[in-house]
Amino acid sequence: MVTGFFVTAAFIDVLGGGWRYITQNPQAPAWLLVTLSLGFTVPLLWRRTHPVAILLPMLPLAVVNAWTGTDLQSSLTLLVVTFNIALHTGLRTLLASYAITLIPIVVDGFRNATEQAADQSPDQTIVPQATRLAMVAIVGISYRTRQEYLASLVERAAQLEVERDQQARLATAAERTRIAREMHDIIGHNLSVITSLADGGSYAAAKNPERAAQALTAIGTTSRQALGELRPLLDVLRTDPSATEPPGAKPLGPALGTAPGLEPPGMEMAPQPSLTDLDHLIEGVRSAGLPVHTTIHGYATALPPGRQLTVYRVIQEALTNTLKHGGPDATSTVSVSYGDGGAVTATVTDTGRGSTAHGNGSGGRGLTGMRERTALYGGTLESGPLPDHGWRVHLHLPEETPQ
């Protein structure tokens, strides 16, 4: 459209005789007028893709236009070409193009000074045209700078969206890993205790009904404790009921789908366990039939909650593995030592069979979960069989780094 406009305007100027009002050579032949008009306008078709390439054939025509005194108005298309050079090329190319574009301007200035009044100096013609050409180049540079700035903003926005999505995916994966680790610790330990209690209760039912009743009571207590620890995790996993339930459906109760007020006794939401709950954990393991001896040095009151949870879960997992793999005559020893600055060392040993099944086996998450928890605080975890028999888990968390 731009090229067609300039071609049409050039031929209206030539055919309508408008060029005669500004020309210095009214007797210019028609073939020269047509050649100059086409040479100044048709190359504009490639002004964006090859701005420098179309300038080179236009410059000789501009020199001829100035030298012959034809002075066609279509020569103003050199300003359009200069604008596109400033818009699509570098500064060095623009300066070189500007310098060679001054050639026909200088030729026109000296010719006008020769043909017209003797008191008219060449700079009266050269300076205004050179200034006009420079202004067009500056406008092109400004426009290109704005385009590059907007493009950088769009690219930055796209990059931020990608980073936001990546951070969301990483956060989701980390949260799923944390939930999986917590559910493994809660369900694995409590089900192991419940299984041991159920087996012991079934053997005692015939000979010692009182002992069987105690086992059933312990099973109920352990089950309620497990449900209380699971409910916060299930709240995280639960989707918005309004987005999934059909209109008019009766909403389920919180987390586990029970109606409000009908939860089993003791099923209130439990906080994350800490080392103050370690005695309760060990008593539950003892009630399941595993003798546990404990040795505690120091106090856990100054230990941050996150470190307390890590030590608690490692001890819980080690005792759970002993319950599952240690055998009927296994015993366990738990030794915990608290140091300064949040340092803590915990060792769990047992006298069980010490087989490879004591670890996380094939595809389990026991040792993996313990190592992940320990690594969060820059600690070390050692786990393996003892020389004679049994299994040992050793945890060490160093002092906290000062903030």
Side-chain angles (χ1 to χ4, degrees), residues 10-85:
F11 277 94
I12 290 176
D13 183 46
V14 171
L15 298 178
W19 65 280
R20 297 183 183 274
Y21 294 101
I22 61 172
T23 185
Q24 303 295 330
N25 183 14
Q27 286 76 34
W31 65 268
L32 180 61
L33 299 176
V34 173
T35 302
L36 292 176
S37 298
L38 293 175
F40 285 135
T41 56
V42 173
L44 294 179
L45 192 61
W46 299 277
R47 68 190 182 279
R48 293 181 178 176
T49 56
H50 303 86
V52 179
I54 67 172
L55 176 65
L56 297 179
M58 293 175 68
L59 285 176
L61 298 177
V63 173
V64 172
N65 183 55
W67 183 259
T68 59
T70 308
D71 290 337
L72 291 181
Q73 297 187 71
S74 57
S75 62
L76 295 177
T77 55
L78 288 175
L79 299 177
V80 179
V81 177
T82 302
F83 174 82
N84 282 273
I85 291 176

Side-chain angles (χ1 to χ4, degrees), residues 90-134:
L91 182 60
R92 183 176 299 178
T93 302
L94 174 62
L95 292 177
S97 302
Y98 179 81
I100 61 177
T101 308
L102 291 177
I103 295 176
I105 295 177
V106 172
V107 171
D108 184 60
F110 278 98
R111 186 188 182 284
N112 287 337
T114 303
E115 296 288 338
Q116 297 177 4
D119 58 347
Q120 184 178 7
S121 61
D123 58 354
Q124 291 179 332
T125 304
I126 296 174
V127 173
Q129 295 188 54
T131 303
R132 179 174 58 185
L133 190 67

Side-chain angles (χ1 to χ4, degrees), residues 93-390:
T93 302
L94 174 62
L95 292 177
S97 302
Y98 179 81
I100 61 177
T101 308
L102 291 177
I103 295 176
I105 295 177
V106 172
V107 171
D108 184 60
F110 278 98
R111 186 188 182 284
N112 287 337
T114 303
E115 296 288 338
Q116 297 177 4
D119 58 347
Q120 184 178 7
S121 61
D123 58 354
Q124 291 179 332
T125 304
I126 296 174
V127 173
Q129 295 188 54
T131 303
R132 179 174 58 185
L133 190 67
M135 293 299 296
V136 170
I138 292 173
V139 171
I141 293 174
S142 302
Y143 189 73
R144 182 185 66 183
T145 302
R146 180 171 179 81
Q147 281 188 327
E148 292 175 349
Y149 176 69
L150 292 177
S152 66
L153 290 180
V154 172
E155 182 181 1
R156 178 59 178 165
Q159 183 179 359
L160 289 175
E161 288 182 0
V162 172
E163 292 177 356
R164 180 199 61 193
D165 294 341
Q166 289 177 346
Q167 291 295 332
R169 287 194 292 268
L170 290 175
T172 301
E175 185 66 13
R176 288 178 176 176
T177 302
R178 186 189 71 82
I179 293 174
R181 186 166 58 233
E182 290 292 331
M183 295 188 72
H184 171 272
D185 293 340
I186 295 171
I187 296 176
H189 169 74
N190 288 288
L191 285 184
S192 296
V193 172
I194 290 172
T195 301
S196 299
L197 290 171
D199 291 340
S202 63
Y203 291 129
K207 298 181 180 180
N208 193 344
E210 182 179 355
R211 187 66 175 170
Q214 293 176 356
L216 292 175
T217 302
I219 289 174
T221 302
T222 305
S223 301
R224 284 190 293 271
Q225 177 185 352
L227 290 175
E229 294 182 12
L230 282 175
R231 289 186 66 185
L233 299 179
L234 296 178
D235 279 339
V236 174
L237 295 175
R238 185 182 60 178
T239 57
D240 185 7
S242 62
T244 55
E245 294 179 356
K250 295 182 178 180
L252 296 176
L256 297 179
T258 55
L262 298 181
E263 295 91 344
M267 270 191 60
E268 64 277 357
M269 294 180 65
Q272 289 281 21
S274 63
L275 290 177
T276 57
D277 302 310
L278 191 59
D279 292 339
H280 182 70
L281 169 68
I282 293 174
E283 287 300 324
V285 174
R286 286 171 179 165
S287 65
L290 175 65
V292 181
H293 305 282
T294 60
T295 303
I296 307 296
H297 298 282
Y299 300 94
T301 54
L303 205 62
R307 290 182 169 237
Q308 292 194 38
L309 179 61
T310 296
V311 176
Y312 180 91
R313 290 303 189 197
V314 169
I315 296 175
Q316 182 187 52
E317 178 65 24
L319 293 176
T320 301
N321 287 338
T322 301
L323 273 175
K324 292 193 293 186
H325 309 296
D329 298 325
T331 62
S332 182
T333 300
V334 178
S335 176
V336 183
S337 177
Y338 303 107
D340 297 330
V344 59
T345 301
T347 304
V348 181
T349 58
D350 63 56
T351 59
R353 291 173 297 190
S355 63
T356 56
H358 198 289
N360 62 340
S362 57
R365 289 192 51 85
L367 291 180
T368 302
M370 288 193 289
R371 290 194 179 99
E372 289 176 352
R373 290 182 181 278
T374 306
L376 289 176
Y377 298 96
T380 57
L381 181 78
E382 300 174 2
S383 178
L386 295 173
D388 297 332
H389 61 279

